[in-house]
Amino acid sequence: MATSKQVRLDYRPREWQQECHKSRKRFTVLALHRRAGKTELAIMELIDKAMKFRLDLGQFFYIAPFLKQAKAIAWARLKQKLEPLRQVSAVEINEGELSATFQHNGAVIRIFGGDNPDAMRGVRLDGVVIDEVAQIKPEVWNDIIQPALSDRKGWAVFIGTPSGINLFSEIYYRADGLPDWHAGRYTVYDTNAIDEEEVARLRRDMGETSFSREYLCDFSAAGDDQLISLSEAEEAARRVYTARDTDGLPRIIGVDPARFGDDRSVIFKRQGLQAFSPSVYRGIDNMELAARVAAAIESWQPDAVFIDAGAGSGVIDRLRQLGHDVIEVPFGGKATKANLFVNRRVEMWSELADWIRAGGAIPNDKDLKQELATPVYWYDAAGKRVLESKDDIKKRLQGGGSPDLADALALTFAYPVSPKNPLDQHRAKTSRREYDPYAGR
């Protein structure tokens, strides 16, 4: 890389770095292991694109989760790479603004921290590198950077190491199949950035999960606070049971009505170890959802129907008017095992997790698998398990991420259910007699 004065910058990209530079698209997501050299890759990508920029007032950002982190990781390295240009007055360094301005075209590279997103509002961006994406607040990308790239169709490179389900995993999996996106993954065995003996030591001394996440870039490796890992969800999606396997077991429906405009209403059926493909609806009101649930009840004759009481009161009332026996479940209500769980929702999710580990089978649905692996948990002062709320998940993920599918499946574990006997099933079809799903427990 050189200017018109043939000043050369010190950069000899490794084979994997060359591949990243060549394979990038408008939006590029790179999962890289620790100490791979991703910051050098990012800085040189910014320098190359800024130096070659042909339009006026080019703006390029490097963003890390925190400003202090950005300064420590990137600012010193950027200045070091640009020192040959600074010596010939080809670039101006501004310490106060953490910026480098190229004299031949006026393009600027600036360093920012995601902890002060307002400092980046109102700009027109031509390119950006977002580092350690797993720790970045979702609104930085969704509300600020993405709109700023629209004016001149700017580009973005996301780099980082997997760390559970968050903004990084969301965009990594979303990139698959989109024409203007590219996702790449480079493990410690792909880059040769770390000595082989040291890699062997790390594998020996680190826990399997930590090594898989930090050095094999495994998004499915469970975090310490994940209730259900992505690998467990993937395994559950590969299982399939036949009608013979579930025959005679109770049929259960879980219904999670939408709470807000972006949420989905979901009807989920489960029988024994088999969960069936859910019915998902957007933008329907309570009356229409009640009609869809009623149709599912009529056609499938479930042994119990559990509905989230928080957003489903209208649906529940309508179904009861139609003569259907449905059970309302308050997510925030008292758990049946109140000494173990802070509320009913975490209890249901814990039952769901145990079911998956016991051999439960789910539809091979990417959104469902992601949702199951999304919530984190912890314990309160009384030693009760607490599960991350829907609202907190939506804040943590990219402007959404509400686990509507997974919550509907979790509802099928609200209470133990006994199957109806054949006489009860016949009577239900003809007279809609009331049925107590807990009889005989």
Side-chain angles (χ1 to χ4, degrees), residues 113-363:
D115 50 340
N116 185 16
D118 289 339
M120 296 179 277
R121 290 187 185 275
V123 301
R124 180 187 64 197
L125 267 178
D126 298 293
V128 62
V129 168
I130 303 180
D131 199 352
E132 299 293 354
V133 188
Q135 302 173 41
I136 289 285
K137 297 176 183 178
E139 58 265 27
V140 172
W141 165 245
N142 197 46
D143 299 340
I144 299 174
I145 301 303
Q146 187 163 203
L149 294 170
S150 295
D151 287 359
R152 296 200 289 209
K153 295 184 178 180
W155 54 267
V157 173
F158 305 84
I159 57 175
T161 302
S163 181
I165 305 300
N166 44 51
L167 174 63
F168 193 29
S169 62
E170 286 275 309
I171 59 177
Y172 180 86
Y173 284 106
R174 184 184 305 156
D176 184 33
L178 295 178
D180 52 352
W181 284 75
H182 167 73
R185 174 173 165 264
Y186 296 87
T187 75
V188 72
Y189 299 111
D190 297 321
T191 66
N192 296 316
I194 301 178
D195 181 78
E196 289 184 6
E197 291 185 2
E198 180 64 7
V199 172
R201 183 197 68 79
L202 289 166
R203 186 153 207 163
R204 181 197 69 201
D205 294 348
M206 296 179 69
E208 181 179 352
T209 297
S210 296
F211 184 84
S212 294
R213 193 169 53 240
E214 300 291 328
Y215 290 97
L216 300 183
C217 305
D218 186 356
F219 283 96
S220 67
D224 295 336
D225 56 356
Q226 274 183 278
L227 185 64
I228 301 170
S229 72
L230 189 56
S231 60
E232 289 174 325
E234 292 280 4
E235 187 176 350
R238 288 192 288 269
R239 302 185 189 113
V240 178
Y241 295 102
T242 66
R244 180 181 298 179
D245 297 320
T246 60
D247 187 41
L249 297 173
R251 297 181 173 191
I252 308 168
I253 291 179
V255 182
D256 185 35
R259 298 186 302 161
F260 306 109
D262 292 337
D263 289 355
R264 298 153 294 177
S265 294
V266 182
I267 303 172
F268 224 127
K269 299 176 183 177
R270 180 178 67 84
Q271 186 174 21
L273 288 174
Q274 182 66 61
F276 304 97
S277 294
S279 299
V280 184
Y281 308 100
R282 291 185 183 272
I284 65 173
D285 59 25
N286 284 342
M287 294 302 99
E288 186 175 353
L289 178 59
R292 303 291 180 108
V293 177
I297 293 173
E298 292 285 351
S299 64
W300 204 52
Q301 290 296 311
D303 296 288
V305 179
F306 299 117
I307 304 177
D308 173 22
S313 57
V315 178
I316 293 166
D317 291 344
R318 177 58 178 161
L319 286 168
R320 286 174 175 166
Q321 287 176 356
L322 294 173
H324 295 293
D325 184 24
V326 298
I327 300 96
E328 56 187 287
V329 181
F331 274 15
K334 186 177 180 179
T336 59
K337 299 174 183 176
N339 61 319
L340 299 178
F341 307 106
V342 73
N343 59 27
R344 181 66 59 78
R345 181 169 178 264
V346 65
E347 184 175 38
M348 292 188 298
W349 269 80
S350 297
E351 294 282 348
L352 168 58
D354 291 342
W355 173 82
I356 286 176
R357 293 176 188 124
I362 63 173

Side-chain angles (χ1 to χ4, degrees), residues 52-74:
K52 295 176 179 177
F53 199 66
R54 296 180 178 275
L55 302 178
D56 63 305
L57 302 176
Q59 285 263 27
F60 300 86
F61 285 3
Y62 168 94
I63 304 169
F66 303 97
L67 182 59
K68 287 184 178 180
Q69 182 184 21
K71 289 177 68 175
I73 294 174

